[in-house]
Amino acid sequence: MSVKEDLGSLTQKLKPKLYWPNYLFFSLQTLARGVLASHVASGEALFHCIRDMQIRSGFPHPIKLARHTVHGLALFFDELLSPADVQIFFTSTLPQIARLALNLPILLQSQSLHLVADLKAAVNPSPPDTTLLLRLLRTQQAGMVLLRQELVASLLACSFLCLFPTEHRREEQLGRINFDKLFAGVYERGGKKKNENKLRCLLHYFDRVCNSMPQGTVSFERKVLPKEAINDAIWGSSGAPLCPITVLQEGCIEDDGRDCLQVDFANRLLGGGALGDGCVQEEIRFMINPELIAGMLFMPAMADNESIEIVGAERYSTHEGYGPTFCFKGDFHDLTLQDTWGRRQTRIIAIDALDLPGENQFHSMPMLRELKKAYCGFLDTSSMKGGQVAAVGGGGGGGQKSSVSQRHKKNQEHLSQAIFEASCGTGTSTSMRPIVGIATGNWGCGVFGGNLELKSLLQWLAASQAGRPYVLYFSFKNPQAKRLQEVADWILQERWCVGELWSILLEYGKQSQFHVNLFDWIMPQPGTQLCSSQHYHKAG
């Protein structure tokens, strides 16, 4: 089996004989020996090295590179970087990137051997289970991939050198994975500054891991909510209490929501434009936590009832700015503690909002879609009655281990029951209650054109129904979010439950025209105890 084969056949069953094609192996080996052997000491030389490996490596179809890749590499390495940084990159960092890529077959095999060994060493051993191994997690296929950070670094090294075949990715609903578009963006008009700084973040990541390879793991999980699990009627009858919500004008999710499940305002293709021209919330997070990029390799687009949870991605950089003003500011040492899997306890949930929904977003079906999407992300399936599996090749922990496939099977068996119990007002049981809150913000309200008032309340509903203890809402100083705290405090004071707030949103959506904004429509009219909806009544 060769690494040039498509991802599905490459990683579905990791057989012993994984190898690079001969010419590619020797090219990477030469690059790994350093500049005296490879003669790669400039951006243009690096481009020709990458192109030569692609053309002469025996790939069945040529890998397409973005039009201005050579110009972007030349500009970045020959003009934008300082001479000292250029020397460090070509004499030290690039050879180590090549070595990481060269070691990919070994690391893939090592990952499978460690998994089997750990399962055999379990207190109650079960048959070897490969459900954590690197593979394509297709849509409607709930499951998890657990990768060592060294393997993640190897995958990103291959992305940097543009080694991944691209011909089948569109068919599999997979996004961009090679770095060529990012290289080209440094040269192309309109993206120079932000793409330059995105590359600086990624080079800093390679500097860090090449000098001191982290030994933890990162998990990528596709969460699938049964399509029939939650419908309009069930939401309307829910008696689940609304959880506390705090609106923060200052701060950001990654800094001040560290102990929470942190929301990635995602594209349906995980990572969005991280390896292209994108530079908003999701793309920035993928630059400062580059290990997130690995998920773009094997996670196809999300369906309406899916989300992707990533646990353990380490942060390496600090930054400032947003969009065209984004700027790499330096090193970040992530002190987040690890769990028994070896994952840093940074939990990121990717949920994609409707794109440019217009006034249709207030209608029942679009609202239900967004509610189910957020609920799928916020529901904590790891605390269902299936137990937990201990670390696979990760740090300490000598506790009892259980088969991952059994855990997922049990989770699915109990998922519908748990959803039904919560939706009928019995709430989330103590044994299932998640211990972390939600850190979110203006999800789907930027380039996606969502209404902030509606999206904030839908996220609050989903978090409450999922049994989350609280929501931290980072407004990023958006003036439209100023009233959210006032509205939420009033609703909590009136002791509304999930079903009542959902019914009010449905009532608002029945209007033919929306002359009054949602918050004004919900709040009591001056001099009366009633809100605009004649169907409102006090809870209890």
Side-chain angles (χ1 to χ4, degrees), residues 235-257:
W235 280 101
S237 62
S238 172
L242 291 163
C243 67
I245 179 172
T246 302
V247 181
L248 301 168
Q249 297 293 327
E250 304 289 338
C252 60
I253 292 172
E254 61 267 26
D255 289 334
D256 302 291

Side-chain angles (χ1 to χ4, degrees), residues 195-250:
N195 287 321
E196 172 195 342
N197 281 278
K198 287 165 69 176
L199 268 179
R200 288 182 183 273
C201 287
L202 295 173
L203 290 192
H204 178 68
Y205 160 76
F206 282 120
D207 285 341
R208 282 275 305 274
V209 299
C210 289
N211 286 318
S212 179
M213 182 61 66
Q215 298 302 310
T217 61
V218 185
S219 67
F220 301 81
E221 181 180 9
R222 181 179 289 273
K223 299 166 67 174
V224 181
L225 187 70
K227 292 183 178 180
E228 67 283 357
I230 296 289
N231 57 41
D232 188 355
I234 293 178
W235 280 101
S237 62
S238 172
L242 291 163
C243 67
I245 179 172
T246 302
V247 181
L248 301 168
Q249 297 293 327
E250 304 289 338

Side-chain angles (χ1 to χ4, degrees), residues 225-226 228-231 233-240 375 379 384-385 411-429 432 465-467 498:
L225 187 70
E228 67 283 357
I230 296 289
N231 57 41
I234 293 178
W235 280 101
S237 62
S238 172
Y375 182 69
L379 191 65
M384 296 291 181
K385 302 176 184 177
N411 284 348
Q412 290 301 313
E413 290 174 353
H414 293 288
L415 182 58
S416 294
Q417 179 183 354
I419 293 170
F420 176 78
E421 290 174 353
S423 300
C424 288
T426 58
T428 308
S429 68
M432 291 166 48
Q465 187 68 34
V498 166

Side-chain angles (χ1 to χ4, degrees), residues 299-318:
M299 284 286 194
M302 289 179 276
D304 287 348
N305 65 324
E306 295 180 330
S307 61
I308 295 173
E309 185 168 343
I310 304 171
V311 181
E314 187 170 345
R315 183 176 171 186
Y316 294 86
S317 301
T318 59

Side-chain angles (χ1 to χ4, degrees), residues 231-242 371 422-425 460-462 464-465 491 495-507 535 537 539:
N231 57 41
D232 188 355
I234 293 178
W235 280 101
S237 62
S238 172
L242 291 163
L371 190 57
S423 300
C424 288
W460 188 24
L461 282 171
S464 300
Q465 187 68 34
I491 289 174
R495 303 178 72 178
W496 287 12
C497 63
V498 166
E500 289 172 308
L501 180 53
W502 172 243
S503 297
I504 290 295
L505 295 183
L506 288 178
E507 190 67 28
H535 293 265
H537 64 281

Side-chain angles (χ1 to χ4, degrees), residues 2 4 20-25 27 49-60 63 163:
S2 162
K4 68 183 180 181
W20 285 112
N22 286 339
Y23 184 84
L24 187 49
F25 175 84
S27 296
C49 175
I50 291 172
R51 198 68 186 131
D52 187 57
M53 284 192 291
Q54 293 175 343
I55 293 173
R56 301 178 63 183
S57 295
F59 283 27
I63 297 176
L163 294 178

